[in-house]
């Protein structure tokens, strides 16, 4: 199979990068000590993000078959609830847990809202998903994640961040941003794609690879040139403006300025060209993944550890402050010097009449205590208690709705997620 595509950083010389890609290993094996401080083997997670139709699913299939041919089958997660045909078997498939059409019906949403909400619902179970992935971590070298084409999930929605943060806090993670190369030949479309990529990079802060897909139809050299050379992009911009309106206008100068702003972004980016259809560029892709994994280890992991240490210190400080507050409150009550509150209504000090302990009683406790010995609770009070009980039961019912477990049944010797019954029947259940 041809491995003609170049794996290149836009700043590097294209020919050198191409030669290096040809010389490098096609699938760098994840060694025993790669990826973890304790020397434990860890797979690298590749999250495929891209606009609808960019070829994410087709690329996932290509990566899957490439890895199978190297005897390193990946662990696959499908997070696209609306995919109608999946050419590979996912170990965990969101469609087994959430039926997005049912979500659309129940929440009265359109297709985009349905997909987004389905993913939000699934995100609430993501700790279970991560548990399955971690269990398999020693058996696989790669975990591949397919995502919906609704790119806004990763630019502003909370679930996108929760998913990427959760995965990245546990395993080396790389974002592969898939670009539909033939549709990016217009300078304006190219710029809009790059702006999306940039916002995803800054949102996730993860090692990033721009994957120019469909190079069998349109080679990606023009894109690399525009990323390396501002003047080449400006010239293309001027040409396209002249073709469209005979003069370069406001949009033109705006995009020219943006290109300059993005220079820093381009400098820190890996870009590869692939064809998910023909398999071209797989070697360059996996070399870029390996490079990005190293970046995760050197840049991302230390930052993650620092944040975790900061959080632990903050939690410890909060606990200490709470304990001190509690001690202060207890002293107040024991000395009987607290302000007159409900606890003083019966015999003055807490810890005396109050069977709930030395803390001041709340209103509900008081109601029961103060009625102790009374012959009857009046009707109004009975109503209030009944209402409160009903509310509590309702809240318990709502919690029940989100109690579905993500499952991972067996496929071909490797467990995968699956329905307890029919696909997508599990949740949400018809109300
Ligand atoms: N020529 C060519 N076509 C491709 C390539 N990759 C994908 N396609 C085609 O592009 C179309 C979209 O591919 P998908 O894999 O469904 O794209 P997607 O990004 O998963 O789409 P969504 O699920 O809608 O987000 C399909 O018709 C594919 O056959 C490629 O490398 N070359």
């Amino acid at each position: 199979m041809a491995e003609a595509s170049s794996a290149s950083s836009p700043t590097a010389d294209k020919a050198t990068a191409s030669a290096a890609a040809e010389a490098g290993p096609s699938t760098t094996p994840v060694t025993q000590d790669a990826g973890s401080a304790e020397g434990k083997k860890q797979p690298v997670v590749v999250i495929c993000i891209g606009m609808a139709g960019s070829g994410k699913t087709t690329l996932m299939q290509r990566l899957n078959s490439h890895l199978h041919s190297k005897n390193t089958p990946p662990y696959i997660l499908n997070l696209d609830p609306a995919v109608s045909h999946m050419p590979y078997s996912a170990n965990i498939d969101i469609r087994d847990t959430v039926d997005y059409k049912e979500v659309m019906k129940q929440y009265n949403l359109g297709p985009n809202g349905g997909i987004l909400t389905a993913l939000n619902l699934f995100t609430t179970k993501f700790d279970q998903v991560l548990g399955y992935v971690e269990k398999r971590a020693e058996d696989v070298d790669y975990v591949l994640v397919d995502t919906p084409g609704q790119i806004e999930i990763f630019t502003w929605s909370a679930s996108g961040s929760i998913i990427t943060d959760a995965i990245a806090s546990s395993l080396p993670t790389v974002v592969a941003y898939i670009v539909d190369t033939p549709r990016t030949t217009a300078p304006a479309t190219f710029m809009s794609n790059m702006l999306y990529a940039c916002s995803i990079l800054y949102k996730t802060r993860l090692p990033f690879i721009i994957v120019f897909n469909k190079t069998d139809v349109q080679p990606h050299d023009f894109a690399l040139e525009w990323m390396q050379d501002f003047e080449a992009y400006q010239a293309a911009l001027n040409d396209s403006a002249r073709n469209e309106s005979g003069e370069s206008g406001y949009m033109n100068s705006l995009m020219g300025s943006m290109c300059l702003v993005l220079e820093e972004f381009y400098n820190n980016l890996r870009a590869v060209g692939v064809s998910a259809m023909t398999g071209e560029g797989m070697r360059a892709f996996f070399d870029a993944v390996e490079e990005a994994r190293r970046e995760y280890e050197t840049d991302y992991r230390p930052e993650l550890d620092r944040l975790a240490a900061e959080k632990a210190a903050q939690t410890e400080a909060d606990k200490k402050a709470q304990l001190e507050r509690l001690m202060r409150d207890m002293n107040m009550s024991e000395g009987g010097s607290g302000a007159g509150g409900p606890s003083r209504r019966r015999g003055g000090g807490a810890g005396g009449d109050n069977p709930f302990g030395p803390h001041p009683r709340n209103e509900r406790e008081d109601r029961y205590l103060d009625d102790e010995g009374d012959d009857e609770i009046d009707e109004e009070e009975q109503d209030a208690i009944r209402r409160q009980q009903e509310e509590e039961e309702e809240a318990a019912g709502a919690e029940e709705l989100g109690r579905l477990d993500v499952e991972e049944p067996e496929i071909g010797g490797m467990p995968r997620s699956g329905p307890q019954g029919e696909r997508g029947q599990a949740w949400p259940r018809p109300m």
Side-chain angles (χ1 to χ4, degrees):
M1 194 175 290
E3 295 284 351
S5 262
S6 63
S8 56
S9 157
T11 48
D13 175 60
K14 240 190 316 177
T16 320
S18 181
E22 291 307 322
S26 61
T27 306
T28 311
V30 179
T31 51
Q32 197 62 22
D33 62 349
S36 99
E38 303 88 44
K40 236 170 74 182
K41 180 186 152 185
Q42 284 195 305
V44 56
V45 182
V46 181
I47 306 178
C48 293
I49 299 176
M51 291 193 190
S54 56
K56 296 178 292 297
T57 306
T58 315
L59 182 64
M60 288 279 294
Q61 157 67 353
R62 175 57 61 185
L63 298 176
N64 182 32
S65 64
H66 178 84
L67 290 171
H68 270 277
S69 74
K70 304 279 172 194
N71 284 328
T72 53
Y75 193 85
I76 300 186
L77 260 66
N78 172 43
L79 300 183
D80 185 353
V83 65
S84 54
H85 169 66
M86 220 168 54
Y88 52 84
S89 300
N91 297 86
I92 294 179
D93 190 339
I94 186 173
R95 295 176 304 164
D96 293 334
T97 306
V98 194
D99 178 350
Y100 93 101
K101 287 194 177 145
E102 191 61 34
V103 172
M104 279 167 63
K105 241 190 267 165
Q106 290 195 18
Y107 293 82
N108 206 11
L109 297 165
N112 279 345
I115 291 169
L116 198 69
T117 308
L119 196 63
N120 285 342
L121 291 170
F122 191 67
T123 304
T124 63
K125 299 288 155 196
F126 211 73
D127 53 335
Q128 288 179 22
V129 175
L130 214 52
Y132 285 125
V133 177
E134 279 168 354
K135 255 200 265 168
R136 296 278 135 205
E138 296 215 11
D139 308 330
V140 294
D141 290 344
Y142 295 92
V143 177
L144 306 178
V145 185
D146 194 5
T147 62
Q150 278 68 15
I151 210 159
E152 57 272 26
I153 288 167
F154 295 94
T155 52
W156 61 259
S157 154
S159 55
S161 301
I162 293 170
I163 289 170
T164 52
D165 288 357
I167 297 177
S169 64
S170 146
L171 294 168
T173 307
V174 170
V175 171
Y177 182 76
I178 321 296
V179 177
D180 185 336
T181 315
R183 288 200 181 176
T184 314
T185 50
T189 327
F190 175 81
M191 180 53 65
S192 117
N193 235 316
M194 291 301 115
L195 285 173
Y196 268 122
C198 184
S199 55
I200 292 169
L201 170 70
Y202 287 116
K203 188 105 197 282
T204 60
R205 288 168 289 113
L206 284 167
F208 207 81
I209 307 169
I210 296 226
V211 182
F212 288 103
N213 188 28
K214 310 191 185 180
T215 51
D216 57 308
V217 177
Q218 168 69 56
H220 67 302
D221 311 37
F222 75 93
L224 292 180
E225 191 186 4
W226 287 352
M227 290 165 83
Q228 289 162 18
D229 182 356
F230 166 72
E231 280 169 15
Y233 179 74
Q234 192 64 49
L237 208 52
N238 291 339
D239 280 351
S240 79
R242 257 192 299 277
N243 290 342
E244 279 164 23
S245 60
E247 56 176 288
S248 54
Y250 168 74
M251 276 300 282
N252 223 9
S253 69
L254 176 68
M255 279 187 282
S257 313
M258 280 178 178
C259 187
L260 277 178
V261 171
L262 289 183
E263 212 169 356
E264 183 62 27
F265 164 70
Y266 293 152
N267 284 342
N268 294 305
L269 217 59
R270 273 163 224 94
V272 295
V274 301
S275 166
M277 200 64 103
T278 64
E280 201 176 287
M282 286 299 110
R283 178 178 298 179
F285 177 83
F286 281 104
D287 284 350
V289 168
E290 179 55 20
E291 204 183 297
R293 188 188 63 73
R294 281 199 294 272
E295 186 189 322
Y296 170 93
E297 296 297 346
T298 53
D299 298 351
Y300 191 85
R301 174 104 60 187
E303 178 66 6
L304 201 70
D305 292 345
R306 190 186 62 75
L307 289 175
E310 241 175 45
K311 200 172 169 202
Q314 184 61 45
T315 311
E316 192 55 37
D318 287 351
K319 246 196 242 166
K320 213 170 147 202
Q322 273 175 8
L323 195 67
E324 275 168 12
R325 209 175 312 129
L326 182 74
M327 297 300 277
R328 260 201 319 274
D329 288 353
M330 282 169 77
N331 282 345
M332 261 174 136
S333 301
E334 277 160 14
S337 58
S343 62
R344 292 171 65 88
R345 279 166 49 189
R346 217 175 252 254
D353 288 349
N354 186 351
F356 295 101
H359 61 84
R361 286 147 39 192
N362 65 28
E363 256 183 42
R364 204 164 172 224
E365 292 164 354
D366 275 321
R367 195 161 54 223
Y368 288 113
L369 281 172
D370 291 342
D371 286 331
E372 209 180 90
D374 290 355
D375 290 339
E376 277 176 17
I377 301 174
D378 69 36
E379 236 173 72
E380 209 180 300
E381 242 174 313
Q382 275 181 343
D383 273 353
I385 292 168
R386 202 176 309 119
R387 267 200 309 278
Q388 189 157 354
Q389 277 171 346
E390 279 168 10
E391 275 169 22
E392 281 168 4
E393 275 161 20
E394 228 171 78
E399 246 176 53
E400 194 59 39
L401 184 71
R403 221 171 262 160
L404 172 86
D405 286 342
V406 178
E407 297 228 338
E408 191 203 34
E410 198 83 20
I411 46 153
M414 172 92 84
R416 66 173 290 269
S417 71
Q420 294 135 334
E422 282 292 297
R423 160 160 286 161
Q425 290 300 302
W427 189 44
R429 295 180 182 89
M431 293 202 187

